[in-house]
Amino acid sequence: MQRAFLEFGHSRLYRLGGRLVSAHLLVDDDGLVLVDAGLTGIAGELEGLLKEIQRSPEEVKAILLTHGHLDHTGDASRIQWETGAAVWVHPAERDHVDGRVQYRGWARGCGLLEAAGRLAFSFTPPEVTGDLSDGQRLPWWGGLRVVHLPGHTPGHCGFFCERTGWLLSGDVFASYAWSVHLPPLLLNRDQAGVRTTLKKVAAMELSGVIPSHYDVLDPRLHARRLREFAGRCG
Ligand SMILES: [Zn+2]
Ligand SMILES: [Zn+2]
């Protein structure tokens, strides 16, 4: 199977995972950075990819987590163990990553799902070694700017790539040809925040968007879908 990637000069962005949920490996001459760690199977896929592109696990400098949901953190501890990479997340997600978050009201359903998933996948939390904050510039891949995008979860963050003008947007929205939608109500901590964040991202000057849940790896297509969807949301 042909692995999906995008090329920009000497740098590449690889898609790991699939339509259910994707993680992304950013590769250039200075090192490698993983954005999110999928639900399961990403560690093995990453290992295969590194062999394919003849890069070593030690070159993975960081695992950046958009947020603490299990479908984004599932393989983080294994990948951290295999590569020695630092794990970064917004401080408001630390409890989530560790499985200590308190769900209240209707959000308890999400907590139950997460607890069941952690058990089913024998989840071990990674050791978080770095804090993300809004506006922070990370040195990798030509510069990655942290954009705090709360709502789905309190510390949900996206990563703006200065080199390409793309935003890795996590769970701000999901983008499929048959459906462009907000994350399911059950999974959101703050519904109003989800909409505010959608508008904020739609108003950003971006040449592309790469969500975590999508069909084809095409940043311009997702940017267009996002703007149309945000327009329809009023
Ligand atoms: Zn999520
Ligand atoms: Zn997700």
Side-chain angles (χ1 to χ4, degrees), residues 21 67 69 71-72 152 171 212-213:
V21 61
H67 62 300
H69 279 155
D71 56 328
H72 299 251
H152 181 54
D171 281 2
S212 297
H213 304 274

Short mmCIF file of all heavy atoms in Angstrom, two decimals, residues 21 67 69 71-72 152 171 212-213, ligand 2:
data_model
loop_
_atom_site.label_atom_id
_atom_site.label_comp_id
_atom_site.label_asym_id
_atom_site.label_seq_id
_atom_site.Cartn_x
_atom_site.Cartn_y
_atom_site.Cartn_z
N VAL A 21 -8.79 7.46 12.72
CA VAL A 21 -8.00 8.52 13.36
C VAL A 21 -6.57 8.45 12.81
O VAL A 21 -6.04 7.37 12.57
CB VAL A 21 -8.02 8.40 14.90
CG1 VAL A 21 -7.43 7.11 15.41
CG2 VAL A 21 -7.28 9.58 15.55
N HIS A 67 -4.43 16.71 22.38
CA HIS A 67 -5.23 16.63 23.60
C HIS A 67 -5.15 15.21 24.16
O HIS A 67 -4.47 14.35 23.59
CB HIS A 67 -6.67 17.07 23.35
CG HIS A 67 -7.45 16.25 22.36
ND1 HIS A 67 -7.09 16.09 21.05
CD2 HIS A 67 -8.61 15.54 22.51
CE1 HIS A 67 -7.97 15.33 20.43
NE2 HIS A 67 -8.90 14.97 21.29
N HIS A 69 -7.42 12.72 24.68
CA HIS A 69 -8.30 11.60 24.36
C HIS A 69 -7.49 10.38 23.92
O HIS A 69 -6.45 10.51 23.27
CB HIS A 69 -9.30 11.98 23.26
CG HIS A 69 -10.48 12.74 23.78
ND1 HIS A 69 -11.22 13.60 23.01
CD2 HIS A 69 -11.05 12.76 25.01
CE1 HIS A 69 -12.20 14.12 23.75
NE2 HIS A 69 -12.11 13.63 24.97
N ASP A 71 -7.80 8.21 21.65
CA ASP A 71 -7.50 7.96 20.23
C ASP A 71 -6.34 8.85 19.72
O ASP A 71 -5.96 8.76 18.55
CB ASP A 71 -8.74 8.12 19.33
CG ASP A 71 -9.41 9.47 19.47
OD1 ASP A 71 -9.36 10.06 20.56
OD2 ASP A 71 -9.99 9.94 18.46
N HIS A 72 -5.79 9.69 20.61
CA HIS A 72 -4.65 10.53 20.25
C HIS A 72 -3.41 10.21 21.10
O HIS A 72 -2.32 10.64 20.78
CB HIS A 72 -5.01 12.01 20.42
CG HIS A 72 -6.15 12.42 19.52
ND1 HIS A 72 -5.99 13.23 18.42
CD2 HIS A 72 -7.47 12.09 19.55
CE1 HIS A 72 -7.15 13.38 17.81
NE2 HIS A 72 -8.07 12.70 18.48
N HIS A 152 -13.39 21.32 22.76
CA HIS A 152 -13.46 19.85 22.72
C HIS A 152 -12.92 19.29 24.04
O HIS A 152 -13.55 18.47 24.70
CB HIS A 152 -12.67 19.36 21.52
CG HIS A 152 -12.66 17.87 21.32
ND1 HIS A 152 -13.81 17.12 21.23
CD2 HIS A 152 -11.62 17.00 21.21
CE1 HIS A 152 -13.48 15.85 21.08
NE2 HIS A 152 -12.16 15.75 21.07
N ASP A 171 -8.96 17.82 16.91
CA ASP A 171 -10.39 17.51 16.83
C ASP A 171 -11.28 18.76 16.78
O ASP A 171 -12.39 18.76 17.30
CB ASP A 171 -10.79 16.64 18.03
CG ASP A 171 -10.39 15.19 17.83
OD1 ASP A 171 -9.77 14.88 16.79
OD2 ASP A 171 -10.69 14.36 18.72
N SER A 212 -7.51 15.46 12.49
CA SER A 212 -7.11 14.12 12.94
C SER A 212 -8.04 13.04 12.39
O SER A 212 -7.66 11.88 12.31
CB SER A 212 -7.13 14.05 14.46
OG SER A 212 -6.20 14.95 15.00
N HIS A 213 -9.24 13.46 12.05
CA HIS A 213 -10.23 12.50 11.53
C HIS A 213 -10.64 12.98 10.14
O HIS A 213 -11.34 13.99 10.02
CB HIS A 213 -11.44 12.43 12.47
CG HIS A 213 -11.09 12.08 13.89
ND1 HIS A 213 -10.96 10.78 14.33
CD2 HIS A 213 -10.80 12.86 14.96
CE1 HIS A 213 -10.62 10.78 15.61
NE2 HIS A 213 -10.52 12.03 16.02
ZN ZN B 2 -10.13 12.32 18.12
#
